[in-house]
Amino acid sequence: MDNDLVKVYTVNGAASGSASSLPDWLRKKRAVKKKGAKRAVREEIEGTIDLIQHFEFPEASNRIKTTRDGHHAVATGTYKPQMRVYDLDQMSLKFERHSDSENVDFIILSDDWTKTLHLQNDRVIEVHNQSGLYYKTRIPRFGRSLAYHYPSCDVILGAAGNEVYRLNLDQGRFMNPLVLGEDVEGVNVVDINPAHQLLAFGTEGVSSDGFVEFWDHRSRSQVGILRLPSSQLTQPEVEASVSVTALSSRSDGLSIAVGTSTGHTLLYDLRSARHFGLKDQGYGLPVKNLSWIEGGTKMAGDGMVISADSKVIKIWDRNFPTVNFASITPATDINHVHHIPASGLIMTANEGIRMTSYYIPQLGPAPKWCSFLDNITEELEDQTIRSVYEDFKFVERNELTRLGLDHLIGTPALKPYMHGYFLSLKLYDTARLISNPFAYAEHRERMVQQKVEKLAESRIRTKKENLPKVNRTLAEKILKTQAKEEKRQAKLKDKYGDNQMESSDRKEKEKTNLLNDPRFKELFENPEFEVDQTSKEYSIRNPSAAMKRGKTAVEKEADESDRTSSDGISHSEGSESSSESSEEGEEDEGHLINIAQPSTEIKSTLRRPRMNLNPPRLVPARPGASTSASNLPKDASFGQRRLSSKSQAKNSGEAEGASVRLPDGGVQISWVPQYGSNKGKGKQNDIDPDDMLVPGGRGTKAKNKRPGVEEFGAGMERGGSGDDPKGRKISEGERSGRTQRRTGVRSGSKNAFRRI
């Protein structure tokens, strides 16, 4: 039959073919930490069928069997060592029972689960009933296998050594053991033929290959020995002994299957010493379990064999051992396989947490307690629709011409579709290879070139790739400083030698910077610690960086306001004295300016440093004079320059006092103090004798002072008559002062102030 038509459905546990090198508990732990783990777990749950609930053990399962009535399943596992009974009608766990040691093998004595006998790995035999542990005893050596002889109520126990122990449950005592040959190291497996109760023991040889001994329980004597063809099972250059690891007798009483430690299964007829069938598992691992499939559907036939090692389960026909009916590779190592009689359901105990169950509809129908599996699998088979064009390639007409297949147009080899044709994939590959025999070489060359380019790109590295995203400028500055220090150390090492620089190198290596210091790790990772390069504090501490960065819009607006205010002051200072006095009078009359406490805006403006970008230049002390008119040398002293300017002033008739506005915004004032009275003299000797800077001056303007009038500054005075000194009549409002707020005056917050 076609093996592709045999479908295997996983109804419990992990699907076949999903093997993983990680254990289940570690795989689940890692899956939880991964991104999108909840979605993956949900998809896994939705895409699987759990036929029996809680069909698992905390760590691993050892054995699984079903009762003869077909209503319960009994399984043993670890850790902790325990036995679990499942109610198949309810498809759920019935109860669990713990034991002191791990189970090696067990048998079900009754038709249901109430009576079981367990062989433990500490030489203990436990008898359980419905209420719990009923009785336990020990055997002289460690047991390996057991079987139950129903006619005599004897439990046959195979153990290490050449003795087979018999425990009679009717009399409640051990019977005389069956002693095998002296070359037997141990009995690995015990089997009882269901037809005539012939005992078969699979042995392990001491210095030779193992064999199968047949005993008659009635006479308690050996009736035959079956030798294995070791030359066909092992390679000549490999010296390894062959032992029997599995046995299974067929219900017809004539056939027996023998599993070996080399991974081979041999089929024998008890009437012949030569095998009539040989099956190799392919992995070289010991065969762990063998069973005959009795009954089943017509497709499966009669006499199918299930053989399993720790890696794979193979189902094959006894008449054609080389052809597999089905092959199953579980996700974890197998410990035991149990086939439910007259059905297509197979249960396995494995090294994983979840035990697995497989349903093969072609092998047999589903059991009565899960008959719905037939309907589910039929629906799944109906939904599986194979694409009509799965094995075809779509090609256009020009491509057909290039391949030389245009002569097939109109033949059944091409199926027209839209603007091209569907061509058989095998024919397309053959034609492409014939038309371009160097296609593979060209493809390989392109792949090699891509790998070379990828490697070349990986060699290109820049230092900025390792810089952090936060405070990148600070990191670059630290790296530059470190590079300079390394260059300096290299120069010193070349100059003074390596021996004298060892101590300094050791100290330098011990030093850490901000980048590799764990205490400042957050400085380059947390955006909250980002340095604000637009702040005023950063500009003060890093003026060069602020110059490169440029000014912000707020700073430009403030500078523009300062420039306007400064220009107004200089212009007013450079005007004539008559205009100054008139402006002062107007301001003093209409404004009250607090000169004792200037505003914060003015303070900040005056305190801001002004950068002079123009180079310094020499200006004459007298306005209007040019440096070219003077014949003085460049290294002339200040006195010589002053005498020259004085003589020029006398010749021109201009005043010697003058004010000049400097490029940096300041004002330079020059004057010459003189003595004498100004009566009868011209404009040159018009000097105020009350000026404090002139020797002999009284420091007060006596000529303008009126009797009974007290001046307070800024144009304020008290006392005197009600007439203005200028002859103007003063109103009552002006005499008593202003009682309302001025309107239409520019605010001081705009960095503009009036000259005092």
Side-chain angles (χ1 to χ4, degrees):
M1 63 172 298
D2 190 0
N3 294 333
D4 296 336
L5 299 178
V6 179
K7 297 185 179 298
V8 180
Y9 297 94
T10 304
V11 294
N12 265 115
S16 61
S18 61
S20 176
S21 59
L22 299 175
D24 292 347
W25 63 270
L26 184 58
R27 186 150 38 88
K28 290 181 179 180
K29 184 177 180 181
R30 291 188 177 183
V32 172
K33 294 183 180 180
K34 291 182 179 179
K35 185 178 180 181
K38 293 183 178 180
R39 179 180 179 184
V41 171
R42 183 174 66 253
E43 291 179 355
E44 181 181 358
I45 293 174
E46 292 177 354
T48 57
I49 301 175
D50 284 338
L51 183 63
I52 303 174
Q53 301 299 318
H54 304 288
F55 199 60
E56 60 184 15
F57 278 89
E59 184 177 341
S61 51
N62 298 329
R63 292 286 189 274
I64 183 170
K65 295 179 182 179
T66 56
T67 57
R68 286 191 291 272
D69 59 6
H71 295 292
H72 297 87
V74 182
T76 58
T78 189
Y79 175 84
K80 302 176 179 179
Q82 55 187 291
M83 173 188 69
R84 292 189 175 185
V85 178
Y86 295 90
D87 191 344
L88 298 181
D89 295 331
Q90 301 296 328
M91 292 181 290
S92 62
L93 177 65
K94 188 176 182 66
F95 69 90
E96 62 181 21
R97 185 180 297 169
H98 292 258
S99 59
D100 297 334
S101 56
E102 191 173 348
N103 180 260
V104 176
D105 198 0
F106 74 94
I107 56 175
I108 301 175
L109 302 176
S110 60
D111 292 340
D112 55 6
W113 61 270
T114 55
K115 297 178 182 179
T116 56
L117 188 141
H118 299 262
L119 175 63
Q120 308 295 87
N121 62 354
D122 58 350
R123 299 187 294 125
V124 174
I125 299 175
E126 295 181 356
V127 180
H128 291 257
N129 60 5
Q130 187 173 1
S131 60
L133 177 62
Y134 179 77
Y135 179 79
K136 68 177 180 179
T137 184
R138 300 185 70 181
I139 57 177
R141 299 195 177 184
F142 291 96
R144 299 184 180 181
S145 180
L146 78 164
Y148 184 64
H149 189 260
Y150 286 93
S152 62
C153 298
D154 285 347
V155 178
I156 312 299
L157 300 168
N162 62 344
E163 293 183 347
V164 178
Y165 304 106
R166 295 189 300 149
L167 175 62
N168 189 277
L169 300 181
D170 185 21
Q171 301 180 18
R173 64 187 181 93
F174 281 99
M175 311 300 291
N176 292 331
L178 305 178
V179 181
L180 306 184
E182 295 181 356
D183 55 347
V184 175
E185 185 178 357
V187 179
N188 294 330
V189 60
V190 178
D191 179 73
I192 300 177
N193 195 298
H196 44 70
Q197 305 298 317
L198 182 66
L199 304 180
F201 306 117
T203 63
E204 179 181 355
V206 177
S207 59
S208 61
D209 297 332
F211 50 86
V212 181
E213 285 196 16
F214 296 98
W215 285 64
D216 186 0
H217 188 272
R218 294 170 298 180
S219 61
R220 294 184 295 279
S221 60
Q222 178 183 330
V223 295
I225 296 178
L226 181 61
R227 302 287 180 178
L228 301 180
S230 58
S231 59
Q232 300 181 15
L233 304 178
T234 59
Q235 298 179 0
E237 61 275 6
V238 178
E239 296 181 359
S241 60
V242 180
S243 59
V244 179
T245 57
L247 288 174
S248 179
S249 298
R250 194 181 177 191
S251 58
D252 61 356
L254 297 177
S255 301
I256 186 172
V258 180
T260 65
S261 59
T262 58
H264 295 83
T265 301
L266 298 94
L267 301 181
Y268 286 93
D269 191 314
L270 294 180
R271 296 167 294 184
S272 174
R274 300 185 62 179
H275 61 276
F276 65 88
L278 177 63
K279 180 67 175 179
D280 186 6
Q281 292 291 111
Y283 288 96
L285 301 173
V287 178
K288 290 197 170 185
N289 190 261
L290 290 172
S291 60
W292 295 82
I293 298 177
E294 305 293 342
T297 61
K298 295 181 180 180
M299 184 180 294
D302 200 10
M304 302 287 288
V305 181
I306 299 178
S307 59
D309 57 10
S310 60
K311 293 294 184 182
V312 64
I313 303 172
K314 292 187 176 182
I315 305 174
W316 41 282
D317 192 348
R318 64 187 182 95
N319 297 321
F320 305 98
T322 56
V323 180
N324 291 330
F325 174 78
S327 180
I328 304 172
T329 305
T332 54
D333 292 345
I334 303 169
N335 289 330
H336 187 253
V337 177
H338 175 72
H339 171 250
I340 298 178
S343 71
L345 190 63
I346 298 173
M347 296 181 177
T348 63
N350 47 54
E351 289 294 332
I353 295 177
R354 303 172 63 184
M355 294 185 290
T356 55
S357 300
Y358 303 100
Y359 176 58
I360 306 175
Q362 288 81 359
L363 189 61
K368 294 181 180 180
W369 52 271
C370 59
S371 58
F372 57 86
L373 286 179
D374 291 330
N375 298 331
I376 293 176
T377 54
E378 288 178 2
E379 292 177 359
L380 292 176
E381 289 178 359
D382 294 340
Q383 293 177 0
T384 304
I385 302 174
R386 187 176 180 181
S387 177
V388 179
Y389 303 105
E390 185 176 357
D391 298 330
F392 288 84
K393 172 71 175 178
F394 179 80
V395 293
E396 297 180 355
R397 178 140 191 173
N398 54 358
E399 189 175 0
L400 278 177
T401 305
R402 182 174 57 83
L403 295 175
L405 300 178
D406 51 352
H407 63 280
L408 296 178
I409 297 176
T411 62
L414 296 177
K415 297 181 179 180
Y417 183 76
M418 296 178 65
H419 60 284
Y421 303 89
F422 275 109
L423 179 65
S424 176
L425 188 60
K426 294 182 180 180
L427 180 59
Y428 174 79
D429 293 337
T430 305
R432 187 178 60 174
L433 184 60
I434 294 173
S435 61
N436 187 10
F438 303 102
Y440 175 74
E442 294 175 357
H443 173 71
R444 186 175 181 276
E445 186 177 356
R446 286 195 301 269
M447 296 298 293
V448 171
Q449 184 66 22
Q450 291 177 1
K451 290 184 178 180
V452 171
E453 292 177 356
K454 189 175 182 180
L455 291 175
E457 292 177 359
S458 63
R459 296 192 193 100
I460 300 174
R461 291 290 183 269
T462 59
K463 294 183 178 180
K464 293 186 178 180
E465 292 181 359
N466 298 326
L467 294 178
K469 295 182 179 179
V470 180
N471 290 329
R472 191 182 186 91
T473 306
L474 178 60
E476 291 179 354
K477 184 177 180 181
I478 294 172
L479 291 177
K480 288 180 181 178
T481 305
Q482 187 176 2
K484 291 181 180 179
E485 185 65 23
E486 291 177 356
K487 290 182 180 179
R488 188 181 69 83
Q489 292 295 333
K491 291 181 180 179
L492 293 176
K493 187 178 295 185
D494 296 339
K495 183 176 181 181
Y496 297 104
D498 298 339
N499 296 330
Q500 298 181 2
M501 298 299 297
E502 286 181 357
S503 59
S504 61
D505 290 346
R506 192 179 303 107
K507 293 180 181 179
E508 291 295 332
K509 290 180 180 178
E510 293 177 357
K511 291 182 180 179
T512 58
N513 53 25
L514 293 178
L515 292 176
N516 53 23
D517 195 338
R519 297 175 298 175
F520 302 97
K521 182 180 179 181
E522 294 292 330
L523 182 62
F524 302 99
E525 294 181 358
N526 194 346
E528 295 181 359
F529 294 98
E530 179 76 26
V531 177
D532 187 8
Q533 299 183 6
T534 61
S535 63
K536 182 178 179 181
E537 291 78 5
Y538 182 84
S539 301
I540 295 174
R541 297 179 185 272
N542 302 273
S544 60
M547 286 290 296
K548 294 179 180 179
R549 174 178 56 83
K551 296 182 179 180
T552 60
V554 178
E555 294 176 349
K556 292 180 179 178
E557 183 180 355
D559 292 348
E560 186 68 24
S561 301
D562 295 345
R563 190 179 297 107
T564 304
S565 303
S566 301
D567 293 343
I569 295 174
S570 61
H571 177 71
S572 62
E573 290 179 350
S575 62
E576 296 180 356
S577 60
S578 60
S579 62
E580 285 185 6
S581 61
S582 62
E583 289 178 2
E584 287 181 1
E586 293 176 0
E587 292 175 359
D588 294 343
E589 290 175 1
H591 299 279
L592 296 176
I593 301 176
N594 187 3
I595 60 176
Q597 296 181 357
S599 62
T600 308
E601 301 285 343
I602 300 175
K603 287 183 179 181
S604 61
T605 306
L606 296 177
R607 195 165 51 245
R608 183 181 295 108
R610 185 182 300 276
M611 293 173 289
N612 185 14
L613 302 180
N614 298 325
R617 61 187 180 90
L618 296 175
V619 295
R622 181 177 55 82
S626 61
T627 57
S628 61
S630 177
N631 298 324
L632 294 176
K634 294 183 178 180
D635 55 349
S637 63
F638 178 75
Q640 295 174 354
R641 294 179 183 276
R642 185 59 194 159
L643 292 175
S644 176
S645 62
K646 184 176 180 180
S647 61
Q648 293 177 4
K650 290 181 179 180
N651 297 329
S652 60
E654 295 177 357
E656 293 183 2
S659 62
V660 179
R661 183 174 179 271
L662 300 180
D664 58 352
V667 178
Q668 177 181 339
I669 303 174
S670 303
W671 77 93
V672 178
Q674 294 182 2
Y675 301 95
S677 174
N678 56 353
K679 293 181 179 181
K681 294 184 179 181
K683 192 175 181 180
Q684 296 178 357
N685 296 327
D686 190 8
I687 300 175
D688 190 359
D690 297 325
D691 197 343
M692 291 187 301
L693 299 177
V694 179
R698 296 191 301 270
T700 58
K701 297 183 179 181
K703 63 178 181 178
N704 296 330
K705 187 175 181 181
R706 292 174 296 165
V709 178
E710 182 181 359
E711 296 182 356
F712 295 95
M716 298 180 65
E717 59 183 13
R718 182 177 61 180
S721 62
D723 296 336
D724 192 6
K726 298 181 180 180
R728 184 173 56 88
K729 197 71 174 179
I730 300 176
S731 64
E732 183 65 23
E734 292 178 343
R735 181 181 298 107
S736 60
R738 179 167 46 84
T739 59
Q740 296 181 357
R741 185 178 179 181
R742 296 193 303 268
T743 58
V745 181
R746 188 176 182 182
S747 175
S749 61
K750 297 183 180 179
N751 296 332
F753 58 92
R754 305 182 67 87
R755 176 181 173 276
I756 300 173

